Amino acid sequence: MKRSRIGKIVGSVVFAVVFIGLMGYVVMRLWNATLPLIIQGVSAITFWQALALLLLSRLLFGGFRGPWNKPGFGGFNRDQWKSRMAERWQQLTPEQRERMRQRWGRRCGSDDEARPDDSTKDVS
């Protein structure tokens, strides 16, 4: 029997909340077990401070990537995306390339030095 779409969403939200809570608890326990003993003047932290520390580390270092960014998992893979885009770029006519440059110049600001390379270099 198939689970409904709402059931999957609710299950995902519950899993995310439990996972984040567990990670916050682990950070709190590790911090309180090590840092106050090692560094003079560092005090123990609460659960909410541990969650804030996790969020801060995510913002600063971009962690928590997980397995979904690895090849073969079925999700986003930067290398595959880059090679696919390079292939598409090579298949464009010079007029189409110039139109793309103009569109991206309007979107991202015109920078003549940052133009995509027209040569047939290997992108990998």
Side-chain angles (χ1 to χ4, degrees):
M1 205 163 145
K2 289 186 175 182
R3 290 176 50 186
S4 69
R5 180 179 245 170
I6 293 175
K8 288 181 182 180
I9 292 171
V10 169
S12 297
V13 169
V14 168
F15 176 77
V17 168
V18 169
F19 180 75
I20 291 170
L22 181 64
M23 291 301 295
Y25 179 75
V26 168
V27 168
M28 180 187 72
R29 294 291 296 191
L30 287 171
W31 179 285
N32 292 340
T34 57
L35 286 179
L37 300 173
I38 296 172
I39 302 172
Q40 189 85 19
V42 174
S43 61
I45 62 173
T46 66
F47 174 75
W48 298 109
Q49 289 170 327
L51 284 180
L53 188 63
L54 274 175
L55 178 62
L56 180 64
S57 68
R58 170 67 175 112
L59 292 173
L60 292 176
F61 304 116
F64 308 127
R65 295 215 192 282
W68 44 86
N69 199 26
K70 294 180 182 169
F73 192 78
F76 174 77
N77 184 337
R78 178 174 292 185
D79 294 332
Q80 288 175 350
W81 181 84
K82 282 177 69 174
S83 64
R84 236 183 13 234
M85 293 309 290
E87 289 172 13
R88 288 181 184 174
W89 182 260
Q90 293 301 324
Q91 292 173 356
L92 294 177
T93 65
E95 295 83 19
Q96 291 172 325
R97 290 181 187 176
E98 190 55 38
R99 276 193 306 221
M100 286 291 280
R101 286 186 186 115
Q102 289 173 358
R103 280 191 220 152
W104 282 104
R106 285 192 302 266
R107 284 185 179 187
C108 304
S110 183
D111 186 9
D112 293 334
E113 295 177 11
R115 284 185 167 188
D117 191 8
D118 286 341
S119 67
T120 56
K121 289 193 295 186
D122 185 28
V123 181
S124 44

